[in-house]
C-alpha cells in the first residue's frame, strides 16, 4: 500500500473519530474528550487584577482541587497556583501580599510544613517554565492536561498529596478520560529536565501507553 494511501486513510479515521491523534505519528483508538478545567470566580478575579497591573506578563493560574477528579483519596488542603515569568515572581508575590492575600513564593518543603499547614487554600506564586503547555478558557490562562500531569510528576514538594500510588491513579484516570499528547508531555518534561524519568515512568506500566 502506498504511503499516500495510508496517510489518507488515517486522516479519514481521525475525522470519523475512530482514531485520536495523541502525538506526531501516534494515535489512540476512539475519540477522547479534550480537557477543559473549571475556572473559579476567585481565580478569575485575581487574574483580572494581575492582568490590569502587569499587562504583558505571561501567567497561568489553577487550583490543585482540579486533581480531585482523578484522585482516590481527597486531600484536605488545596493550593491556588499563580505561575508567572521567572523575573516577575517576586513582584507578583509582593503585589498580592500588599493586598492581604495569604500568599507564598516558591515554597520549600519546610515552609509548607511550618507556615502553610493551617491554610486551607493558600496562594502560591512560582515561576512558569518557558514553553509550558497552557490553554486559554474564555480568555483565562490555565493548565492543559499535559502540564497538569507533568507538574505533579516533577514537583513532589507542592504535589506531595499526589505522589506514589495516588499519582498512578491520577495518570490512569486522566489517560482513560481525556485525549493526551505524549509528545507534548515529553517536550514539557524536557524543559523541566525530567524527560527521561517521565519516559521511564510511562513505560513502567503499559496501560498508560496502550492509548498511544
Amino acid at each position: 500500500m502506498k504511503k499516500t494511501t495510508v496517510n489518507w486513510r488515517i486522516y479519514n479515521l481521525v475525522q470519523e473519530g475512530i482514531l485520536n491523534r495523541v502525538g506526531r505519528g501516534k494515535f489512540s483508538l476512539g475519540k477522547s474528550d479534550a480537557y477543559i478545567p473549571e475556572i473559579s470566580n476567585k481565580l478569575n478575579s485575581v487574574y483580572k487584577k494581575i492582568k490590569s497591573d502587569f499587562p504583558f506578563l505571561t501567567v497561568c493560574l489553577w487550583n490543585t482541587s482540579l486533581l480531585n477528579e482523578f484522585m482516590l483519596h481527597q486531600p484536605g488542603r488545596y493550593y491556588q497556583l499563580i505561575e508567572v515569568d521567572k523575573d516577575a515572581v517576586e513582584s507578583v508575590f509582593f503585589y498580592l501580599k500588599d493586598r492581604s492575600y495569604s500568599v507564598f513564593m516558591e515554597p520549600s518543603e519546610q515552609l509548607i510544613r511550618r507556615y502553610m499547614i493551617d491554610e486551607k487554600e493558600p496562594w502560591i506564586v512560582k515561576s512558569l517554565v518557558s514553553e509550558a503547555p497552557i490553554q486559554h478558557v474564555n480568555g483565562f490562562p490555565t493548565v492543559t492536561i499535559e502540564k497538569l500531569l507533568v507538574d505533579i510528576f516533577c514537583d513532589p514538594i507542592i504535589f506531595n498529596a499526589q505522589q506514589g500510588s495516588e499519582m498512578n491513579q491520577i495518570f490512569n484516570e486522566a489517560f482513560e478520560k481525556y485525549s493526551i499528547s505524549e509528545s507534548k508531555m515529553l517536550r514539557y518534561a524536557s524543559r523541566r529536565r525530567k524527560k527521561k524519568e517521565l519516559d521511564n515512568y510511562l513505560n513502567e506500566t503499559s496501560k498508560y501507553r496502550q492509548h498511544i
Side-chain angles (χ1 to χ4, degrees), residues 4-5 28 58 65 68 72 84 94 157 159 161 165 178:
T4 53
T5 303
S28 67
T58 301
S65 62
N68 286 3
L72 190 60
V84 299
F94 284 112
I157 293 177
F159 300 102
S165 60
Y178 297 108

Side-chain angles (χ1 to χ4, degrees), residues 22-209:
V22 295
R24 187 175 182 182
K26 298 177 181 179
F27 305 85
S28 67
L29 282 173
K31 189 171 184 178
S32 301
D33 293 332
Y35 178 69
I36 308 294
E38 291 186 12
I39 310 301
S40 69
N41 292 332
K42 187 183 294 186
L43 279 174
N44 198 33
S45 175
V46 169
Y47 169 62
K48 288 179 179 178
K49 292 174 183 175
I50 293 175
K51 190 65 177 176
S52 175
D53 289 284
F54 302 89
F56 303 108
L57 192 64
T58 301
V59 59
C60 176
L61 298 90
W62 62 291
N63 191 306
T64 57
S65 62
L66 292 177
L67 293 162
N68 286 3
E69 176 184 355
F70 311 109
M71 296 178 69
L72 190 60
H73 303 97
Q74 306 297 304
R77 182 177 66 230
Y78 306 109
Y79 301 135
Q80 300 183 103
L81 302 175
I82 304 176
E83 300 177 70
V84 299
D85 298 326
K86 186 176 181 179
D87 56 359
V89 170
E90 192 170 303
S91 297
V92 173
F93 167 73
F94 284 112
Y95 173 82
L96 293 173
K97 192 173 182 64
D98 289 343
R99 285 157 180 77
S100 301
Y101 284 90
S102 176
V103 60
F104 300 85
M105 180 173 61
E106 303 278 11
S108 63
E109 184 176 7
Q110 186 178 39
L111 188 149
I112 290 174
R113 287 180 177 177
R114 284 188 177 183
Y115 302 107
M116 297 173 62
I117 191 69
D118 295 323
E119 299 283 347
K120 191 172 183 180
E121 281 191 291
W123 296 83
I124 292 178
V125 180
K126 61 195 295 286
S127 59
L128 179 65
V129 177
S130 61
E131 300 180 29
I134 65 176
Q135 62 177 318
H136 287 79
V137 178
N138 296 323
F140 182 92
T142 190
V143 290
T144 58
I145 189 66
E146 291 84 4
K147 183 180 187 309
L148 183 149
L149 293 175
V150 174
D151 282 348
I152 66 171
F153 181 83
C154 293
D155 193 346
I157 293 177
I158 290 179
F159 300 102
N160 179 264
Q162 289 81 30
Q163 299 304 300
S165 60
E166 199 66 67
M167 183 161 67
N168 297 339
Q169 167 74 16
I170 292 169
F171 269 71
N172 186 41
E173 285 294 311
F175 271 86
E176 286 292 335
K177 295 179 69 174
Y178 297 108
S179 175
I180 298 175
S181 169
E182 180 196 359
S183 58
K184 188 182 291 186
M185 285 180 66
L186 292 175
R187 280 197 303 273
Y188 179 47
S190 179
R191 301 295 298 176
R192 301 203 61 169
R193 300 182 180 181
K194 290 284 186 178
K195 180 179 180 180
K196 184 177 180 180
E197 291 87 341
L198 179 63
D199 198 36
N200 290 339
Y201 176 74
L202 293 173
N203 275 327
E204 285 177 1
T205 172
S206 61
K207 63 184 176 183
Y208 296 143
R209 281 191 160 153

